[in-house]
Amino acid sequence: TLGGFTFTGTDPDLMKEIPALNGVTVIEEIHDNYIIVAGLLSKVHTLTGATITVERKMPRMDYITESENRLWGCFYGFDGGKTVNEIYACALGDFRNWHRFQGLSTDSYAVSVGTDGVFTGAVTYQGYPLFFKETSLHKVYGGMPSQYRVETYACRGVQDGSYRSLQIVNELLYYKGRTDVLVYDGNDPVGVSDVLGDTTYRNAVAGAYKHLYYISMEGNGHHLFVYDTRLRMWWREDATKALGFAQVDDSLFYIDQDKRLMDVFGKTGEPEGPVPFEAQTGIIGYETKDHKYVSRLNIRALVPADGSLSVYFRYDSVGVWQLGGTLEGRGVVRSTMLPVRPRRCDHFEMRLTGTGDVRVFSIAKIMEQGSDGRWT
């Protein structure tokens, strides 16, 4: 971008031609003390006393991603006194040039989009640059500027402030939306976090390792969750607040709130102690039409020597959880009958809690015949 070209003479041609040199132009040749640019002058003229500026400008951008040897960026807001809602690409293989428009396949690229709201994240997925807002997705197709086109999809996008949640796990893109964690495979995003409840989480930061998706979020405190994409199950690790993740070889590192470099696998040389766990069933039908009811439960489980397993019940979706029984670790697999006689009700829920590598193989309900009258 050139600036400072002024003409104070009276030549009518130069009065138009010299100020026209101000602006974006292509450098044809460059040396230590001069540059050559393309321009039209009807006669030779020397400027004296003028301050000529030469600078490279890049667009203001909120998020940047790389695709096909170009940097892509986006910006929504006010810039230079005008409203901007645009997507940009630098020249092919040249991150310094964002305003080269010569009709070539190596040119830069810029396009305005019509959706409202700020951009919330950017990523390259399946070879396509993707730009998210909270309620939309912009996908760029094509292999060169003359072929580029932007398709806009109305869908659940990335939550504002959660752009670091974008991670690819086993060829699928995961990210934090406004209300849930979503997976995107090139079609419509699908929610995968219903089991996390109704808590509103925000400011998500994520990392990926093999089939595991680690995500740190804020919501009634800080939480580090792990989603096993193979088993489609969630675990809450602890109250870690991660500022960023990075995978190196066979380790996944993160920076915590105290600016410490941590390893999610805890490779400190010391074995980790028994980890507490909790699993809860949905509603289980209790009484049948012929007045049969559950008299006891048989749970077949492997409980290690340093582990334990406790079973709690809640009846008719109300009241407190009541302890039904506890198994202490003996390191053997066997059928164990819990010493509990559940009371008769319409339905119940069961919660399994404990510590250690407990494995539950089966839960059997033992039914008995009830009276003809209705219980109370």
Side-chain angles (χ1 to χ4, degrees):
T1 300
L2 304 181
F5 286 96
T6 59
F7 181 69
T8 58
T10 59
D11 188 295
D13 293 328
L14 293 180
M15 290 178 64
K16 298 179 180 179
E17 295 168 351
I18 290 181
L21 296 176
N22 294 307
V24 178
T25 187
V26 176
I27 297 176
E28 304 292 345
E29 189 176 339
I30 184 169
H31 291 275
D32 292 339
N33 57 357
Y34 70 88
I35 61 174
I36 298 176
V37 300
L40 294 176
L41 291 177
S42 58
K43 59 190 68 175
V44 176
H45 181 74
T46 301
L47 286 179
T48 58
T51 301
I52 307 300
T53 60
V54 181
E55 57 182 342
R56 292 189 188 271
K57 293 183 178 180
M58 64 182 297
R60 183 177 176 182
M61 291 179 283
D62 296 320
Y63 304 99
I64 297 177
T65 184
E66 184 276 333
S67 178
E68 301 296 332
N69 204 19
R70 298 177 187 267
L71 291 184
W72 291 78
C74 58
F75 178 72
Y76 177 91
F78 290 96
D79 188 25
K82 63 177 182 178
T83 302
V84 177
N85 190 13
E86 295 183 339
I87 293 173
Y88 309 96
C90 73
L92 182 66
D94 188 356
F95 66 90
R96 300 169 300 174
N97 276 306
W98 297 81
H99 300 284
R100 192 167 70 194
F101 305 108
Q102 296 179 287
L104 304 176
S105 62
T106 57
D107 278 352
S108 309
Y109 177 74
V111 63
S112 296
V113 298
T115 56
D116 193 22
V118 299
F119 287 97
T120 56
V123 69
T124 299
Y125 178 61
Q126 296 179 341
Y128 302 101
L130 306 181
F131 298 93
F132 289 91
K133 297 187 177 183
E134 282 200 336
T135 57
S136 61
L137 162 64
H138 300 279
K139 187 174 183 178
V140 182
Y141 294 87
M144 62 182 68
S146 62
Q147 299 174 348
Y148 288 147
R149 74 181 194 277
V150 179
E151 296 289 342
T152 301
Y153 303 91
C155 62
R156 289 173 289 177
V158 175
Q159 181 186 41
D160 192 15
S162 295
Y163 65 95
R164 289 191 178 95
S165 66
L166 287 157
Q167 292 291 332
I168 297 174
V169 185
N170 288 349
E171 293 76 50
L172 296 176
L173 177 64
Y174 291 82
Y175 61 89
K176 175 65 172 65
R178 183 183 292 173
T179 58
D180 48 6
V181 178
L182 299 128
V183 57
Y184 174 75
D185 63 356
N187 297 303
D188 293 329
V190 177
V192 296
S193 61
D194 289 345
V195 296
L196 298 184
D198 297 328
T199 302
T200 300
Y201 296 100
R202 61 190 182 279
N203 297 329
V205 179
Y209 180 78
K210 293 184 177 179
H211 59 280
L212 301 176
Y213 177 67
Y214 288 81
I215 182 168
S216 174
M217 301 184 287
E218 298 178 20
N220 296 330
H222 297 285
H223 310 269
L224 177 60
F225 294 101
V226 183
Y227 179 59
D228 190 319
T229 62
R230 188 170 55 190
L231 300 177
R232 298 182 181 180
M233 297 181 65
W234 284 92
W235 286 271
R236 182 185 183 277
E237 288 274 313
D238 49 34
T240 293
K241 177 183 178 181
L243 304 180
F245 286 86
Q247 181 179 342
V248 180
D249 297 329
D250 289 329
S251 295
L252 180 62
F253 296 97
Y254 65 90
I255 302 294
D256 68 6
Q257 61 268 34
D258 297 321
K259 307 296 179 65
R260 298 177 300 178
L261 180 64
M262 308 293 289
D263 189 332
V264 298
F265 304 108
K267 296 178 181 178
T268 61
E270 298 181 2
E272 187 176 33
V275 177
F277 67 87
E278 178 179 300
Q280 182 175 324
T281 70
I283 293 176
I284 299 175
Y286 194 52
E287 187 180 16
T288 63
K289 294 185 296 183
D290 55 357
H291 297 285
K292 287 185 178 180
Y293 62 93
V294 178
S295 64
R296 68 178 185 267
L297 292 171
N298 285 353
I299 298 181
R300 186 170 181 266
L302 171 63
V303 182
D306 59 349
S308 65
L309 172 65
S310 297
V311 182
Y312 293 83
F313 296 94
R314 183 170 65 176
Y315 303 100
D316 294 337
S317 301
V318 296
V320 298
W321 289 88
Q322 301 179 21
L323 178 64
T326 299
L327 301 177
E328 296 296 337
R330 296 183 180 179
V332 296
V333 179
R334 66 174 185 173
S335 295
T336 303
M337 183 178 66
L338 291 177
V340 59
R341 182 178 292 274
R343 74 167 188 254
R344 297 172 67 180
C345 60
D346 180 73
H347 61 269
F348 68 92
E349 301 161 273
M350 186 165 54
R351 178 181 290 174
L352 306 178
T353 66
T355 57
D357 187 16
V358 174
R359 304 184 185 185
V360 177
F361 297 100
S362 64
I363 300 176
K365 297 188 293 184
I366 308 302
M367 310 292 291
E368 290 191 6
Q369 182 69 43
S371 63
D372 292 335
R374 174 66 177 171
W375 48 268
T376 59

